[in-house]
Amino acid sequence: MRLEAVNAEIRPRDSWEALDLGLALARRDFWALWGVWCAVALPWLPLAWWWHAHPLLWLFGFWWCRPAQSRMVVFYLSRRLFGERPRAGDLWKCAAAGWNPAGWARLTWGRLSPWIALAMPVEELEDLRGGALRRRRRLVVSRASGAAVWLGVFAALLVPWVAVALIGLGLLFLPRGQGEQWMIHWEMWMAGDAFLPPPVIGWVFSAGLAVAISLVDVFSTGAGFGLYLNNRSWIEGWDVELVFKRLAERLRRTTTAVVAVVVGLLLWGGPGSAQASPAEDRERETIARVLADEDFEVHTRTIKVPKDIDWNLPDPPSFLAGLQSVIGWLALAVCVTVIGALIGWLLHRYRHVLGGSGGEGPRKRRRGAMVVGALPLEIEDLPADPASVAARWWAEGRRREALALLYRAAIAWLIEHRQLEIGESATEFDCMRRVEEGPGGGSAGYFRRLTETWVALAYGDRVPASGQVEALCREWPFREGSK
């Protein structure tokens, strides 16, 4: 290893400076490093087509196999550190050589190691096996284990932030009118199972997270490489070795000049006293020139020793003690007021849970037309038995009108008989949340099924099964005297 060819400043640093060095190395060759990372990750594209119905499973596999791409970043950085630029053949050989015991260990029991970014250069660059590898890895990791753990934590927290930023940037470029469709998909996901998103939403999030993982991993691997370089500099004294090599090179040039001058003086000098004085002058000049070289310069450093501080401070004046007591009582009064106001707000907010309508008495019936989700809700215009009419319309093929009648009748009945507070700008999912939160009785589950069926037909053009609609008509709970 030719330390004199290193194109970075090798000196002992603390762990945070070493992380900054690694980030600078990764930033210098970012596009090449990211290209190498993505090239190794290309096989995941056909796997995405194969697992098209399971985006989260594909994302988990992509994240789990991340060290297979990280090792290529380590290889590229190790060559660029000595001024070399790896060729395609070198990268191919490195990728093929990755299926060794150390590589399998990183993808199995060592995948969740908090020191993986620091241990990977030891496993990839030092060509050790067995007990020697374990001892060397333990020695290198021991100097900066805390910084390596914090590096992993920061990288894990940065990935979702970068993913959300990329997805938000993509949504800004959507054509006009497409944002509403995305909001409908989002609300359907929020109303259903959070761990089973629709395939479109799942793949959008998976793609954003995959790109974020690739971007963050290039820099986190580079930071781990910087920690590795710093630890080797501390352990093996690379900076001292570099100084001695440079000093030897300078002394070699200086010694050659001194020997040439001495030999010339011996050959030119004569026995006469007249010639002795000029020779001595030239010899003194040569000695003075050698001693003036920077290698013989004496360096001094002044260290200031801090003085002992007397921490025995005088007691504060009596009026400050009284002021402290007043401030304490004021703070206590403010805290009690805030807590009382919070309790009062909670009691008012959930008064229907504690005591029905909260003592306000029955609300007056709403008069006039009311519109929710572009549907008029005048209860006077609704049939006496909406379920029977909707079943007949469904049998006649008037499917959208049948489900619209059921949904309108349910909302109007809840507003009329349960005093449900719903604004005219509320969406279908806003109504569903108000029914579940309010005094909806046992009809909340039925209203959720009705809402999902109506939204699927109205906005997604997905016609429900006839048995599902017949069940909704048969189980209609909104009748006089029902609870």
Side-chain angles (χ1 to χ4, degrees):
M1 184 168 57
R2 298 176 294 106
L3 288 179
E4 61 274 10
V6 172
N7 52 23
E9 183 182 358
I10 300 297
R11 61 177 177 82
R13 296 173 166 87
D14 60 25
S15 297
W16 301 109
E17 285 185 292
L19 289 174
D20 189 59
L21 170 65
L23 293 174
L25 294 176
R27 189 170 58 249
R28 181 185 63 181
D29 297 303
F30 168 73
W31 292 110
L33 295 173
W34 194 47
V36 170
W37 200 102
C38 294
V40 180
L42 282 179
W44 285 97
L45 292 180
L47 287 177
W49 176 83
W50 187 28
W51 289 345
H52 64 277
H54 306 284
L56 297 183
L57 182 62
W58 178 88
L59 177 64
F60 176 78
F62 183 87
W63 169 79
W64 187 267
C65 296
R66 178 178 56 83
Q69 289 82 256
S70 303
R71 61 181 301 274
M72 300 301 298
V73 176
V74 172
F75 173 78
Y76 197 96
L77 286 174
S78 65
R79 297 301 183 270
R80 289 289 292 133
L81 182 66
F82 292 93
E84 304 175 11
R85 190 173 293 276
R87 297 172 297 179
D90 300 331
L91 296 173
W92 177 257
K93 291 179 182 179
C94 178
W99 303 106
N100 51 26
W104 284 110
R106 282 195 298 268
L107 296 179
T108 51
W109 62 85
R111 175 60 184 85
L112 299 179
S113 171
W115 309 287
I116 188 170
L118 180 54
M120 188 180 298
V122 181
E123 300 164 353
E124 293 295 329
L125 304 178
E126 300 196 11
D127 196 21
L128 299 174
R129 296 292 183 271
L133 173 61
R134 289 191 294 272
R135 289 191 297 270
R136 178 64 172 176
R137 184 169 52 202
R138 191 181 305 113
L139 176 63
V140 173
V141 169
S142 62
R143 280 211 76 259
S145 57
V149 172
W150 278 112
L151 173 63
V153 171
F154 290 149
L157 294 176
L158 189 59
V159 165
W161 282 101
V162 176
V164 170
L166 292 174
I167 295 172
L169 181 63
L171 292 177
L172 291 177
F173 290 94
L174 283 177
R176 185 182 300 274
Q178 294 294 322
E180 298 179 359
Q181 297 293 330
W182 281 101
M183 290 304 299
I184 291 173
H185 285 293
W186 179 268
E187 289 185 349
M188 292 180 64
W189 180 27
M190 292 295 101
D193 190 353
F195 295 98
L196 292 175
V200 175
I201 298 291
W203 278 114
V204 167
F205 275 89
S206 296
L209 284 170
V211 176
I213 288 172
S214 66
L215 294 172
V216 174
D217 188 65
V218 168
F219 287 100
S220 63
T221 304
F225 184 72
L227 282 177
Y228 167 75
L229 291 179
N230 187 57
N231 288 0
R232 287 200 62 176
S233 178
W234 276 101
I235 295 171
E236 302 174 16
W238 281 3
D239 57 324
V240 178
E241 183 177 351
L242 277 174
V243 169
F244 276 114
K245 285 187 175 182
R246 293 166 183 165
L247 180 61
E249 180 64 24
R250 293 172 184 171
L251 289 179
R252 184 181 62 80
R253 294 194 299 266
T254 305
T255 304
T256 302
V258 171
V259 171
V261 170
V262 172
V263 171
L265 290 175
L266 292 176
L267 294 177
W268 180 71
S273 59
Q275 299 177 354
S277 179
E280 291 177 357
D281 293 339
R282 285 190 295 272
E283 184 176 352
R284 292 191 185 95
E285 292 177 359
T286 302
I287 295 174
R289 188 170 60 254
V290 171
L291 293 177
D293 192 272
E294 61 178 353
D295 294 329
F296 294 94
E297 182 181 354
V298 178
H299 299 275
T300 59
R301 184 174 61 178
T302 303
I303 300 176
K304 295 183 178 180
V305 179
K307 298 180 179 179
D308 294 335
I309 301 176
D310 186 10
W311 295 102
N312 295 323
L313 300 178
D315 295 333
S318 58
F319 75 91
L320 288 181
L323 180 61
Q324 180 181 0
S325 177
V326 172
I327 293 174
W329 281 107
L330 287 176
L332 178 60
V334 170
C335 291
V336 170
T337 304
V338 171
I339 293 173
L342 179 61
I343 294 174
W345 179 83
L346 290 174
L347 292 175
H348 177 74
R349 175 67 176 81
Y350 298 102
R351 60 190 182 279
H352 58 273
V353 178
L354 300 177
S357 60
E360 297 178 359
R363 289 186 176 85
K364 294 183 180 181
R365 177 175 170 176
R366 300 180 67 107
R367 298 293 181 185
M370 180 179 180
V371 178
V372 173
L375 296 175
L377 300 179
E378 290 189 11
I379 195 167
E380 293 83 359
D381 297 337
L382 297 174
D385 190 1
S388 301
V389 177
R392 187 175 69 253
W393 285 0
W394 183 268
E396 295 174 356
R398 301 165 62 182
R399 295 172 177 172
R400 183 180 292 270
E401 296 176 9
L403 281 180
L405 176 60
L406 286 177
Y407 186 75
R408 289 171 51 207
I411 291 287
W413 195 93
L414 288 170
I415 293 175
E416 180 72 18
H417 295 86
R418 299 282 174 79
Q419 289 80 42
L420 190 69
E421 295 181 0
I422 295 179
E424 295 191 4
S425 62
T427 64
E428 285 84 352
F429 288 97
D430 292 334
C431 297
M432 185 175 66
R433 283 192 289 269
R434 292 307 303 267
V435 171
E436 292 177 346
E437 294 174 358
S443 58
Y446 176 88
F447 190 77
R448 170 180 281 274
R449 289 191 292 132
L450 176 59
T451 301
E452 293 175 350
T453 306
W454 162 247
V455 169
L457 177 62
Y459 301 103
D461 292 330
R462 296 195 300 274
V463 180
S466 297
Q468 182 179 355
V469 178
E470 292 172 0
L472 290 174
C473 295
R474 188 173 54 253
E475 299 171 7
W476 180 255
F478 305 113
R479 294 183 174 88
E480 293 294 336
S482 60
K483 295 182 179 182

Short mmCIF file of all heavy atoms in Angstrom, two decimals, residues 8-26 73-74 77-78 81 117-122 125 140 143-144 147-148 151 218-234 238:
data_model
loop_
_atom_site.label_atom_id
_atom_site.label_comp_id
_atom_site.label_asym_id
_atom_site.label_seq_id
_atom_site.Cartn_x
_atom_site.Cartn_y
_atom_site.Cartn_z
N ALA A 8 -6.04 12.13 -0.03
CA ALA A 8 -6.74 12.77 1.09
C ALA A 8 -5.74 12.99 2.22
O ALA A 8 -4.73 12.30 2.32
CB ALA A 8 -7.91 11.91 1.57
N GLU A 9 -6.03 13.97 3.05
CA GLU A 9 -5.13 14.28 4.16
C GLU A 9 -5.28 13.21 5.24
O GLU A 9 -6.34 13.06 5.83
CB GLU A 9 -5.44 15.66 4.73
CG GLU A 9 -4.47 16.07 5.83
CD GLU A 9 -4.81 17.42 6.42
OE1 GLU A 9 -5.77 18.03 5.95
OE2 GLU A 9 -4.10 17.84 7.36
N ILE A 10 -4.20 12.48 5.48
CA ILE A 10 -4.18 11.43 6.48
C ILE A 10 -3.62 12.00 7.77
O ILE A 10 -2.45 12.38 7.84
CB ILE A 10 -3.36 10.21 6.02
CG1 ILE A 10 -3.95 9.64 4.74
CG2 ILE A 10 -3.30 9.17 7.11
CD1 ILE A 10 -5.35 9.10 4.89
N ARG A 11 -4.46 12.10 8.78
CA ARG A 11 -4.03 12.57 10.10
C ARG A 11 -5.04 12.05 11.13
O ARG A 11 -6.18 11.72 10.78
CB ARG A 11 -3.96 14.09 10.16
CG ARG A 11 -5.30 14.77 9.90
CD ARG A 11 -5.18 16.27 10.04
NE ARG A 11 -6.43 16.96 9.73
CZ ARG A 11 -7.43 17.12 10.57
NH1 ARG A 11 -7.34 16.63 11.81
NH2 ARG A 11 -8.53 17.76 10.22
N PRO A 12 -4.64 11.95 12.38
CA PRO A 12 -5.60 11.52 13.41
C PRO A 12 -6.72 12.53 13.58
O PRO A 12 -6.48 13.73 13.72
CB PRO A 12 -4.74 11.40 14.67
CG PRO A 12 -3.33 11.28 14.17
CD PRO A 12 -3.27 12.08 12.92
N ARG A 13 -7.96 12.05 13.55
CA ARG A 13 -9.14 12.89 13.71
C ARG A 13 -10.01 12.29 14.80
O ARG A 13 -9.88 11.12 15.14
CB ARG A 13 -9.95 12.96 12.41
CG ARG A 13 -9.24 13.61 11.23
CD ARG A 13 -10.10 13.46 9.99
NE ARG A 13 -9.68 14.30 8.88
CZ ARG A 13 -8.77 13.95 8.00
NH1 ARG A 13 -8.17 12.76 8.09
NH2 ARG A 13 -8.43 14.77 7.02
N ASP A 14 -10.95 13.10 15.31
CA ASP A 14 -11.99 12.50 16.14
C ASP A 14 -13.04 11.88 15.22
O ASP A 14 -13.01 12.02 14.01
CB ASP A 14 -12.61 13.51 17.10
CG ASP A 14 -13.27 14.68 16.39
OD1 ASP A 14 -13.67 14.52 15.22
OD2 ASP A 14 -13.38 15.76 17.00
N SER A 15 -13.97 11.16 15.82
CA SER A 15 -14.90 10.36 15.01
C SER A 15 -15.78 11.24 14.12
O SER A 15 -16.07 10.87 12.97
CB SER A 15 -15.79 9.51 15.94
OG SER A 15 -14.99 8.60 16.67
N TRP A 16 -16.20 12.40 14.59
CA TRP A 16 -17.10 13.25 13.78
C TRP A 16 -16.35 13.87 12.61
O TRP A 16 -16.93 14.03 11.52
CB TRP A 16 -17.73 14.32 14.66
CG TRP A 16 -18.52 13.72 15.78
CD1 TRP A 16 -18.20 13.72 17.11
CD2 TRP A 16 -19.74 12.98 15.67
NE1 TRP A 16 -19.15 13.04 17.83
CE2 TRP A 16 -20.12 12.58 16.98
CE3 TRP A 16 -20.56 12.62 14.61
CZ2 TRP A 16 -21.25 11.83 17.22
CZ3 TRP A 16 -21.71 11.88 14.85
CH2 TRP A 16 -22.04 11.49 16.16
N GLU A 17 -15.07 14.23 12.80
CA GLU A 17 -14.27 14.69 11.66
C GLU A 17 -14.07 13.58 10.65
O GLU A 17 -14.07 13.82 9.44
CB GLU A 17 -12.93 15.21 12.15
CG GLU A 17 -12.96 16.54 12.82
CD GLU A 17 -11.56 17.02 13.17
OE1 GLU A 17 -10.91 16.42 14.05
OE2 GLU A 17 -11.11 17.99 12.54
N ALA A 18 -13.92 12.34 11.14
CA ALA A 18 -13.76 11.21 10.22
C ALA A 18 -15.03 10.98 9.41
O ALA A 18 -14.97 10.67 8.21
CB ALA A 18 -13.41 9.95 11.02
N LEU A 19 -16.19 11.13 10.05
CA LEU A 19 -17.44 11.02 9.29
C LEU A 19 -17.52 12.10 8.22
O LEU A 19 -17.97 11.83 7.09
CB LEU A 19 -18.63 11.15 10.25
CG LEU A 19 -18.89 9.98 11.20
CD1 LEU A 19 -19.99 10.35 12.18
CD2 LEU A 19 -19.26 8.73 10.43
N ASP A 20 -17.08 13.30 8.53
CA ASP A 20 -17.09 14.38 7.55
C ASP A 20 -16.14 14.09 6.40
O ASP A 20 -16.44 14.40 5.24
CB ASP A 20 -16.73 15.69 8.24
CG ASP A 20 -16.93 16.89 7.33
OD1 ASP A 20 -18.06 17.10 6.87
OD2 ASP A 20 -15.96 17.60 7.07
N LEU A 21 -14.98 13.48 6.70
CA LEU A 21 -14.06 13.09 5.63
C LEU A 21 -14.72 12.08 4.69
O LEU A 21 -14.63 12.19 3.47
CB LEU A 21 -12.79 12.49 6.24
CG LEU A 21 -11.83 11.81 5.26
CD1 LEU A 21 -11.26 12.83 4.28
CD2 LEU A 21 -10.70 11.09 6.00
N GLY A 22 -15.40 11.06 5.25
CA GLY A 22 -16.07 10.08 4.41
C GLY A 22 -17.17 10.70 3.56
O GLY A 22 -17.34 10.35 2.38
N LEU A 23 -17.93 11.64 4.14
CA LEU A 23 -18.96 12.32 3.35
C LEU A 23 -18.35 13.13 2.22
O LEU A 23 -18.92 13.21 1.12
CB LEU A 23 -19.80 13.21 4.27
CG LEU A 23 -20.67 12.49 5.31
CD1 LEU A 23 -21.33 13.51 6.23
CD2 LEU A 23 -21.73 11.63 4.63
N ALA A 24 -17.21 13.76 2.48
CA ALA A 24 -16.55 14.53 1.42
C ALA A 24 -16.08 13.61 0.29
O ALA A 24 -16.20 13.95 -0.89
CB ALA A 24 -15.37 15.31 2.01
N LEU A 25 -15.54 12.43 0.64
CA LEU A 25 -15.12 11.48 -0.39
C LEU A 25 -16.31 11.00 -1.22
O LEU A 25 -16.22 10.87 -2.44
CB LEU A 25 -14.41 10.29 0.26
CG LEU A 25 -13.08 10.57 0.96
CD1 LEU A 25 -12.56 9.31 1.64
CD2 LEU A 25 -12.05 11.09 -0.04
N ALA A 26 -17.43 10.72 -0.55
CA ALA A 26 -18.63 10.29 -1.28
C ALA A 26 -19.18 11.41 -2.14
O ALA A 26 -19.66 11.17 -3.26
CB ALA A 26 -19.68 9.79 -0.30
N VAL A 73 -19.63 0.36 -3.25
CA VAL A 73 -19.22 1.72 -2.89
C VAL A 73 -17.89 1.70 -2.15
O VAL A 73 -17.01 2.52 -2.39
CB VAL A 73 -20.32 2.39 -2.05
CG1 VAL A 73 -19.88 3.77 -1.59
CG2 VAL A 73 -21.61 2.49 -2.85
N VAL A 74 -17.73 0.74 -1.23
CA VAL A 74 -16.46 0.61 -0.49
C VAL A 74 -15.32 0.31 -1.46
O VAL A 74 -14.22 0.90 -1.36
CB VAL A 74 -16.59 -0.49 0.57
CG1 VAL A 74 -15.24 -0.78 1.21
CG2 VAL A 74 -17.58 -0.09 1.64
N LEU A 77 -14.47 3.52 -3.51
CA LEU A 77 -13.79 4.53 -2.69
C LEU A 77 -12.36 4.13 -2.36
O LEU A 77 -11.46 4.99 -2.31
CB LEU A 77 -14.58 4.76 -1.40
CG LEU A 77 -15.88 5.54 -1.52
CD1 LEU A 77 -16.61 5.55 -0.17
CD2 LEU A 77 -15.63 6.97 -1.97
N SER A 78 -12.12 2.84 -2.12
CA SER A 78 -10.76 2.40 -1.78
C SER A 78 -9.80 2.59 -2.95
O SER A 78 -8.61 2.86 -2.74
CB SER A 78 -10.80 0.93 -1.36
OG SER A 78 -11.17 0.10 -2.45
N LEU A 81 -9.18 6.49 -3.50
CA LEU A 81 -8.34 7.08 -2.46
C LEU A 81 -6.89 7.14 -2.90
O LEU A 81 -6.16 8.05 -2.51
CB LEU A 81 -8.48 6.28 -1.16
CG LEU A 81 -7.70 6.79 0.05
CD1 LEU A 81 -8.24 8.13 0.51
CD2 LEU A 81 -7.75 5.79 1.19
N ALA A 117 -21.51 -0.46 8.74
CA ALA A 117 -20.81 0.49 7.87
C ALA A 117 -19.33 0.57 8.18
O ALA A 117 -18.52 0.85 7.29
CB ALA A 117 -21.46 1.88 8.00
N LEU A 118 -18.92 0.32 9.44
CA LEU A 118 -17.52 0.38 9.83
C LEU A 118 -16.83 -0.96 9.65
O LEU A 118 -15.64 -1.03 9.33
CB LEU A 118 -17.42 0.83 11.29
CG LEU A 118 -16.02 0.96 11.90
CD1 LEU A 118 -15.14 1.84 11.06
CD2 LEU A 118 -16.12 1.49 13.32
N ALA A 119 -17.58 -2.06 9.82
CA ALA A 119 -16.97 -3.39 9.70
C ALA A 119 -16.82 -3.83 8.25
O ALA A 119 -15.96 -4.66 7.94
CB ALA A 119 -17.81 -4.42 10.46
N MET A 120 -17.64 -3.30 7.34
CA MET A 120 -17.59 -3.74 5.95
C MET A 120 -16.23 -3.48 5.28
O MET A 120 -15.73 -4.37 4.57
CB MET A 120 -18.71 -3.07 5.15
CG MET A 120 -18.87 -3.61 3.74
SD MET A 120 -20.19 -2.79 2.82
CE MET A 120 -21.60 -3.22 3.84
N PRO A 121 -15.58 -2.30 5.44
CA PRO A 121 -14.25 -2.14 4.83
C PRO A 121 -13.22 -3.15 5.35
O PRO A 121 -12.34 -3.58 4.58
CB PRO A 121 -13.87 -0.70 5.21
CG PRO A 121 -15.16 -0.01 5.43
CD PRO A 121 -16.07 -1.04 6.02
N VAL A 122 -13.31 -3.54 6.61
CA VAL A 122 -12.38 -4.55 7.14
C VAL A 122 -12.58 -5.87 6.41
O VAL A 122 -11.62 -6.54 6.00
CB VAL A 122 -12.58 -4.72 8.65
CG1 VAL A 122 -11.61 -5.76 9.21
CG2 VAL A 122 -12.41 -3.40 9.37
N LEU A 125 -11.59 -5.29 2.33
CA LEU A 125 -10.31 -4.75 1.85
C LEU A 125 -9.10 -5.40 2.46
O LEU A 125 -7.99 -5.26 1.91
CB LEU A 125 -10.26 -3.24 2.14
CG LEU A 125 -11.40 -2.39 1.55
CD1 LEU A 125 -11.23 -0.94 1.96
CD2 LEU A 125 -11.46 -2.53 0.05
N VAL A 140 -10.81 -2.69 15.08
CA VAL A 140 -11.14 -1.49 14.32
C VAL A 140 -12.45 -0.88 14.82
O VAL A 140 -12.58 0.34 14.97
CB VAL A 140 -11.21 -1.81 12.82
CG1 VAL A 140 -11.73 -0.61 12.03
CG2 VAL A 140 -9.83 -2.22 12.30
N ARG A 143 -12.77 1.42 18.37
CA ARG A 143 -12.39 2.83 18.52
C ARG A 143 -13.52 3.78 18.20
O ARG A 143 -13.52 4.94 18.63
CB ARG A 143 -11.20 3.18 17.62
CG ARG A 143 -9.87 2.76 18.16
CD ARG A 143 -8.78 3.71 17.71
NE ARG A 143 -8.80 4.96 18.44
CZ ARG A 143 -9.30 6.09 17.98
NH1 ARG A 143 -9.87 6.13 16.81
NH2 ARG A 143 -9.27 7.19 18.72
N ALA A 144 -14.49 3.36 17.37
CA ALA A 144 -15.54 4.30 16.94
C ALA A 144 -16.89 3.62 16.90
O ALA A 144 -17.69 3.89 16.01
CB ALA A 144 -15.19 4.88 15.57
N ALA A 147 -19.85 6.21 17.27
CA ALA A 147 -20.11 7.00 16.05
C ALA A 147 -20.75 6.14 14.97
O ALA A 147 -21.61 6.62 14.21
CB ALA A 147 -18.81 7.61 15.54
N ALA A 148 -20.35 4.86 14.87
CA ALA A 148 -20.95 3.98 13.87
C ALA A 148 -22.43 3.73 14.16
O ALA A 148 -23.26 3.69 13.24
CB ALA A 148 -20.19 2.65 13.82
N LEU A 151 -24.32 6.81 13.24
CA LEU A 151 -24.42 6.89 11.78
C LEU A 151 -25.58 6.05 11.27
O LEU A 151 -26.35 6.50 10.41
CB LEU A 151 -23.10 6.42 11.16
CG LEU A 151 -23.08 6.29 9.63
CD1 LEU A 151 -23.33 7.64 8.97
CD2 LEU A 151 -21.75 5.70 9.16
N VAL A 218 -25.30 5.60 -0.19
CA VAL A 218 -24.02 6.04 -0.76
C VAL A 218 -23.26 6.90 0.25
O VAL A 218 -22.05 6.70 0.48
CB VAL A 218 -24.26 6.81 -2.08
CG1 VAL A 218 -23.00 7.51 -2.53
CG2 VAL A 218 -24.75 5.86 -3.16
N PHE A 219 -23.95 7.83 0.89
CA PHE A 219 -23.27 8.72 1.83
C PHE A 219 -22.99 8.03 3.17
O PHE A 219 -21.94 8.27 3.78
CB PHE A 219 -24.12 9.97 2.05
CG PHE A 219 -24.11 10.90 0.88
CD1 PHE A 219 -25.16 10.92 -0.01
CD2 PHE A 219 -23.04 11.76 0.68
CE1 PHE A 219 -25.15 11.78 -1.10
CE2 PHE A 219 -23.03 12.63 -0.40
CZ PHE A 219 -24.08 12.64 -1.29
N SER A 220 -23.89 7.17 3.65
CA SER A 220 -23.62 6.49 4.92
C SER A 220 -22.46 5.51 4.77
O SER A 220 -21.64 5.36 5.68
CB SER A 220 -24.88 5.76 5.40
OG SER A 220 -25.26 4.76 4.49
N THR A 221 -22.37 4.82 3.62
CA THR A 221 -21.23 3.93 3.39
C THR A 221 -19.93 4.72 3.28
O THR A 221 -18.89 4.31 3.79
CB THR A 221 -21.46 3.11 2.12
OG1 THR A 221 -22.69 2.40 2.22
CG2 THR A 221 -20.33 2.11 1.92
N GLY A 222 -20.00 5.88 2.60
CA GLY A 222 -18.81 6.73 2.54
C GLY A 222 -18.38 7.23 3.91
O GLY A 222 -17.19 7.28 4.23
N ALA A 223 -19.35 7.58 4.77
CA ALA A 223 -19.01 8.02 6.12
C ALA A 223 -18.38 6.88 6.92
O ALA A 223 -17.42 7.09 7.67
CB ALA A 223 -20.27 8.53 6.83
N GLY A 224 -18.90 5.65 6.76
CA GLY A 224 -18.28 4.51 7.42
C GLY A 224 -16.87 4.26 6.93
O GLY A 224 -15.98 3.88 7.72
N PHE A 225 -16.61 4.48 5.63
CA PHE A 225 -15.26 4.34 5.10
C PHE A 225 -14.32 5.38 5.71
O PHE A 225 -13.15 5.09 5.98
CB PHE A 225 -15.31 4.47 3.58
CG PHE A 225 -14.00 4.24 2.90
CD1 PHE A 225 -13.44 2.98 2.81
CD2 PHE A 225 -13.29 5.31 2.35
CE1 PHE A 225 -12.21 2.77 2.19
CE2 PHE A 225 -12.08 5.11 1.73
CZ PHE A 225 -11.53 3.83 1.64
N GLY A 226 -14.84 6.60 5.92
CA GLY A 226 -14.01 7.61 6.59
C GLY A 226 -13.65 7.22 8.01
O GLY A 226 -12.52 7.43 8.46
N LEU A 227 -14.60 6.62 8.75
CA LEU A 227 -14.29 6.11 10.09
C LEU A 227 -13.21 5.03 10.03
O LEU A 227 -12.31 4.98 10.88
CB LEU A 227 -15.55 5.55 10.73
CG LEU A 227 -16.56 6.54 11.32
CD1 LEU A 227 -17.77 5.79 11.83
CD2 LEU A 227 -15.93 7.35 12.45
N TYR A 228 -13.32 4.16 9.04
CA TYR A 228 -12.33 3.08 8.89
C TYR A 228 -10.93 3.65 8.65
O TYR A 228 -9.95 3.21 9.26
CB TYR A 228 -12.77 2.17 7.75
CG TYR A 228 -11.72 1.20 7.28
CD1 TYR A 228 -11.41 0.07 8.02
CD2 TYR A 228 -11.04 1.41 6.09
CE1 TYR A 228 -10.44 -0.83 7.59
CE2 TYR A 228 -10.08 0.53 5.64
CZ TYR A 228 -9.79 -0.59 6.40
OH TYR A 228 -8.82 -1.47 5.97
N LEU A 229 -10.81 4.64 7.75
CA LEU A 229 -9.50 5.24 7.48
C LEU A 229 -8.93 5.89 8.75
O LEU A 229 -7.73 5.76 9.04
CB LEU A 229 -9.64 6.29 6.38
CG LEU A 229 -9.95 5.79 4.97
CD1 LEU A 229 -10.06 6.97 4.03
CD2 LEU A 229 -8.86 4.84 4.49
N ASN A 230 -9.76 6.58 9.49
CA ASN A 230 -9.28 7.25 10.69
C ASN A 230 -8.82 6.25 11.75
O ASN A 230 -7.80 6.46 12.41
CB ASN A 230 -10.40 8.14 11.24
CG ASN A 230 -9.94 9.00 12.40
OD1 ASN A 230 -8.99 9.77 12.27
ND2 ASN A 230 -10.60 8.86 13.53
N ASN A 231 -9.56 5.16 11.90
CA ASN A 231 -9.17 4.16 12.89
C ASN A 231 -7.85 3.50 12.51
O ASN A 231 -7.01 3.23 13.38
CB ASN A 231 -10.27 3.11 13.03
CG ASN A 231 -11.49 3.65 13.75
OD1 ASN A 231 -11.51 4.81 14.14
ND2 ASN A 231 -12.50 2.83 13.93
N ARG A 232 -7.64 3.21 11.24
CA ARG A 232 -6.36 2.64 10.83
C ARG A 232 -5.23 3.64 11.02
O ARG A 232 -4.09 3.26 11.34
CB ARG A 232 -6.43 2.18 9.38
CG ARG A 232 -7.26 0.92 9.19
CD ARG A 232 -6.96 0.23 7.89
NE ARG A 232 -5.58 -0.22 7.81
CZ ARG A 232 -5.09 -0.93 6.80
NH1 ARG A 232 -5.88 -1.25 5.78
NH2 ARG A 232 -3.83 -1.31 6.78
N SER A 233 -5.52 4.93 10.81
CA SER A 233 -4.48 5.94 11.03
C SER A 233 -4.08 5.99 12.50
O SER A 233 -2.89 6.13 12.83
CB SER A 233 -4.99 7.30 10.56
OG SER A 233 -4.04 8.30 10.79
N TRP A 234 -5.06 5.86 13.41
CA TRP A 234 -4.74 5.83 14.84
C TRP A 234 -4.01 4.55 15.22
O TRP A 234 -3.04 4.58 16.00
CB TRP A 234 -6.03 5.94 15.65
CG TRP A 234 -6.53 7.33 15.86
CD1 TRP A 234 -7.53 7.96 15.18
CD2 TRP A 234 -6.04 8.28 16.81
NE1 TRP A 234 -7.70 9.23 15.63
CE2 TRP A 234 -6.80 9.47 16.65
CE3 TRP A 234 -5.04 8.26 17.76
CZ2 TRP A 234 -6.60 10.60 17.41
CZ3 TRP A 234 -4.84 9.40 18.54
CH2 TRP A 234 -5.61 10.55 18.36
N TRP A 238 -0.46 5.86 10.44
CA TRP A 238 -0.23 6.23 9.04
C TRP A 238 0.36 7.61 8.91
O TRP A 238 1.22 7.85 8.05
CB TRP A 238 -1.56 6.16 8.28
CG TRP A 238 -1.96 4.78 7.89
CD1 TRP A 238 -1.31 3.62 8.19
CD2 TRP A 238 -3.10 4.40 7.12
NE1 TRP A 238 -1.97 2.55 7.68
CE2 TRP A 238 -3.09 3.01 6.99
CE3 TRP A 238 -4.14 5.10 6.53
CZ2 TRP A 238 -4.06 2.30 6.31
CZ3 TRP A 238 -5.11 4.42 5.84
CH2 TRP A 238 -5.07 3.03 5.72
#
